[in-house]
């Protein structure tokens, strides 16, 4: 028998099949096909042809992967900045949970990196009415032409300036999915109160509880180290949470939580997270910062839930939610309204709509503690950043801060 060569394979019966125009002729053609010869011929194909097919498949897979990687990189090369104008070449690199410097600088474009490209910056200062829980007043509308949300920019005569103390990203599940960026702002005029209240709470929360040292005006180096440690780690017997609880209860510091979702977020999910934080810090048998003062708490929690009810379902990606805590702990909530798609493409932002308020100071205090104190907080990055901001304040002598930041 002559040696086999691929060119010698003749599928004559197969080639005649398409030329058959009648069913009987097609049947006869199929009967004349020799399956054994076809199979034996296929097995006789040299191995080099199979190697060529394998290398061709590998090359195709590699080319497809390269094209997919290029597409992913190009789609993320220029992310849309939803919360700020594009950074200048001199802008600092994004650094999650970086400390925020307390300063007297009043620059509209003073922005702080957040650590996520979706919401890349937070403003260093925002402005709210003196009584944030009043529905008759609204944040400034003088910033309509700016790309930053309402509540930023030069304050009007009826507004108060708030300074960013720290910020971080809220993440959920073991996949660390980003939900929103949260920043804690403190009224600039109340920064000396925060300083004094933090020093006093540090001494009163100590094991000795010596009231004679609670009037100290500054901390020495080892005390500063201890304060930072307990605020970050919690300390023994929940000392870090006790310090924040006393500061919120006693100092009368006005503050604001500014929340900007990185994805469309349902009010129900956010509300339930805050309610879990309230219950975890007020339920007997757990870390109960309220002690026996629970009378009427359930009714207040119901009112708190009602603020996020009504016709509005949530906060869109890149929109702003503000929760304020007044001098006596009263709560006020605003959310940014949606704008038409064409207006949003031009950089226009919606007005801050007042959603409601609550007088029971325990609610806002427990919500704030969910970000600041205890073993389980909503954002470790935010707590760390706030602690660094607090230490920047505490390390200055009491009485000198007001002249530096106001």
């Amino acid at each position: 028998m002559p040696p086999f060569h691929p060119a010698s394979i003749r599928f004559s019966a197969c080639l005649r099949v398409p030329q058959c125009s009648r069913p009987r002729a097609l049947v006869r053609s199929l009967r004349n096909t020799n399956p054994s010869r076809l199979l034996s011929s296929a097995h006789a194909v040299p191995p080099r042809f199979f190697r060529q097919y394998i290398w061709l498949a590998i090359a195709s897979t590699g080319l497809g992967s390269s094209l997919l990687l290029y597409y992913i990189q190009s789609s993320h090369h220029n992310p849309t900045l939803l919360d700020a104008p594009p950074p200048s070449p001199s802008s600092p690199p994004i650094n999650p949970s970086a400390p925020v410097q307390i300063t007297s600088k009043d620059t509209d474009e003073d922005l702080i990196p957040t650590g996520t490209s979706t919401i890349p910056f937070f403003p260093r200062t925002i402005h709210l009415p003196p009584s944030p829980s009043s529905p008759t007043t609204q944040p400034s509308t003088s910033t309509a032409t700016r790309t930053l949300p309402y509540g930023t920019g030069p304050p009007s005569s009826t507004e108060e300036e708030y300074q960013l103390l720290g910020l971080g990203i809220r993440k959920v599940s073991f996949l660390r999915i980003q939900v929103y960026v949260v920043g804690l702002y403190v009224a600039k005029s109340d920064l000396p109160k925060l300083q004094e209240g933090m020093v006093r709470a540090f001494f009163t929360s100590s094991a000795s509880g010596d009231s004679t040292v609670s009037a100290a005006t500054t901390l020495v180096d080892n005390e500063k180290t201890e304060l930072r440690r307990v605020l970050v780690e919690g300390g023994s017997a929940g000392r870090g949470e006790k310090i924040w609880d006393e500061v919120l209860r006693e100092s009368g510091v006005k503050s604001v939580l500014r929340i900007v979702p990185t994805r469309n977020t349902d009010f129900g999910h956010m509300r339930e997270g805050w309610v879990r934080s309230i219950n975890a810090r007020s339920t007997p048998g757990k870390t109960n910062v309220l002690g026996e003062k629970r009378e009427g708490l359930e009714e207040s929690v119901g009112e708190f839930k009602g603020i996020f009810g009504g016709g509005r379902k949530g906060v869109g990606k890149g929109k702003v939610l503000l929760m304020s805590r007044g001098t006596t702990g009263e709560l006020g909530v605003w959310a940014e309204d949606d704008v038409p798609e064409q207006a949003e493409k031009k950089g226009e932002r919606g007005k801050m709509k007042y959603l409601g308020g609550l007088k029971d100071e325990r609610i806002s205090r427990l919500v704030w503690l969910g970000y600041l104190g205890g073993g389980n907080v909503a954002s470790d990055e935010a707590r760390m950043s706030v602690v660094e901001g607090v230490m920047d304040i505490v390390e200055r002598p009491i009485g000198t801060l007001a002249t530096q930041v106001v």
Side-chain angles (χ1 to χ4, degrees):
M1 178 181 292
F4 171 80
H5 192 275
S8 66
I9 299 178
R10 297 169 57 189
F11 301 104
S12 58
C14 295
L15 294 176
R16 287 197 300 268
V17 171
Q19 300 175 2
C20 297
S21 59
R22 292 178 298 176
R24 292 181 180 179
L26 175 63
V27 172
R28 285 197 302 270
S29 299
L30 294 176
R31 287 176 179 175
N32 293 333
T33 303
N34 189 343
S36 300
R37 182 181 179 185
L38 294 177
L39 291 175
S40 63
S41 300
H43 286 296
V45 176
R48 68 174 180 272
F49 286 95
F50 290 102
R51 289 198 295 268
Q52 292 176 357
Y53 295 147
I54 292 174
W55 282 113
L56 179 61
I58 294 175
S60 301
T61 304
L63 179 61
S65 301
S66 300
L67 292 174
L68 178 61
L69 180 61
Y70 173 78
Y71 172 77
I72 295 174
Q73 290 178 341
S74 61
S75 63
H76 289 79
H77 182 67
N78 294 314
T80 303
L81 304 182
L82 298 176
D83 197 41
S88 63
S90 60
S91 297
I94 292 177
N95 184 13
S97 70
V100 178
Q101 297 296 323
I102 306 300
T103 176
S104 58
K105 192 175 180 181
D106 291 323
T107 307
D108 293 346
E109 304 298 334
D110 200 6
L111 306 174
I112 305 299
T114 63
T116 173
S117 60
T118 309
I119 312 295
F121 297 101
F122 258 33
R124 187 183 294 274
T125 59
I126 61 175
H127 302 93
L128 291 176
S131 299
S133 59
S134 173
T136 59
T137 57
Q138 297 288 341
S140 172
T141 58
S142 61
T143 58
T145 59
R146 294 171 49 81
T147 56
L148 292 177
Y150 287 91
T152 62
S156 68
S157 58
T158 61
E159 292 179 333
E160 187 169 7
E161 186 175 17
Y162 285 72
Q163 167 83 46
L164 180 61
L165 191 65
L167 55 81
I169 305 170
R170 162 71 169 163
K171 301 174 183 178
V172 297
S173 84
F174 69 95
L175 298 176
R176 309 301 291 163
I177 299 173
Q178 297 182 0
V179 180
Y180 58 77
V181 182
V182 57
L184 177 65
Y185 290 78
V186 175
K188 222 167 186 181
S189 59
D190 287 347
L191 287 175
K193 292 183 181 179
L194 175 61
Q195 179 191 39
E196 183 179 354
M198 186 62 66
V199 172
R200 181 174 60 249
F202 171 76
F203 288 113
T204 57
S205 65
S206 63
S208 61
D210 189 354
S211 60
T212 60
V213 298
S214 63
T217 59
T218 189
L219 302 178
V220 296
D221 289 342
N222 65 324
E223 292 170 340
K224 295 173 184 177
T225 302
E226 177 67 8
L227 175 60
R228 176 183 277 106
R229 186 188 68 81
V230 297
L231 291 180
V232 172
E233 301 176 3
S236 60
R239 186 183 176 191
E241 191 170 42
K242 291 178 180 179
I243 290 175
W244 275 114
D245 181 64
E246 180 177 338
V247 170
L248 292 171
R249 278 188 296 107
E250 305 294 340
S251 64
V253 174
K254 297 185 291 293
S255 57
V256 174
L257 288 176
R258 185 178 190 265
I259 296 172
V260 182
T262 59
R263 60 187 67 231
N264 293 335
T265 305
D266 183 75
F267 267 153
H269 293 159
M270 300 177 75
R271 177 189 62 200
E272 293 308 313
W274 292 321
V275 170
R276 284 196 300 269
S277 175
I278 292 173
N279 292 334
R281 289 164 172 80
S282 62
T283 302
K286 297 184 178 181
T287 306
N288 184 4
V289 299
L290 297 182
E292 301 299 326
K293 300 177 181 179
R294 289 181 46 84
E295 183 179 357
L297 182 63
E298 293 184 4
E299 291 77 4
S300 296
V301 172
E303 292 182 38
F304 176 72
K305 291 181 178 180
I307 294 176
F308 301 95
R312 182 154 184 165
K313 296 183 178 180
V315 185
K317 177 181 178 180
K319 300 295 182 181
V320 179
L321 176 71
L322 297 177
M323 293 197 296
S324 66
R325 177 179 165 86
T327 303
T328 59
E330 68 274 14
L331 177 71
V333 182
W334 289 276
E336 182 183 355
D337 270 341
D338 295 326
V339 296
E341 184 177 355
Q342 294 299 324
E344 188 169 359
K345 290 181 179 179
K346 296 178 181 178
E348 297 182 14
R349 303 300 302 244
K351 295 181 179 180
M352 296 300 297
K353 182 179 179 181
Y354 182 78
L355 301 183
L358 188 62
K359 292 183 178 180
D360 191 340
E361 69 86 23
R362 295 175 296 180
I363 298 299
S364 62
R365 174 156 50 100
L366 293 173
V367 171
W368 263 237
L369 287 175
Y371 292 95
L372 302 174
N376 185 19
V377 293
S379 171
D380 289 321
E381 291 179 0
R383 172 162 67 175
M384 180 66 71
S385 180
V386 169
V387 169
E388 294 301 325
V390 167
M391 296 310 300
D392 184 37
I393 294 175
V394 171
E395 288 173 352
R396 308 180 189 185
I398 289 181
T400 63
L401 186 63
T403 60
Q404 297 177 16
V405 300
V406 178

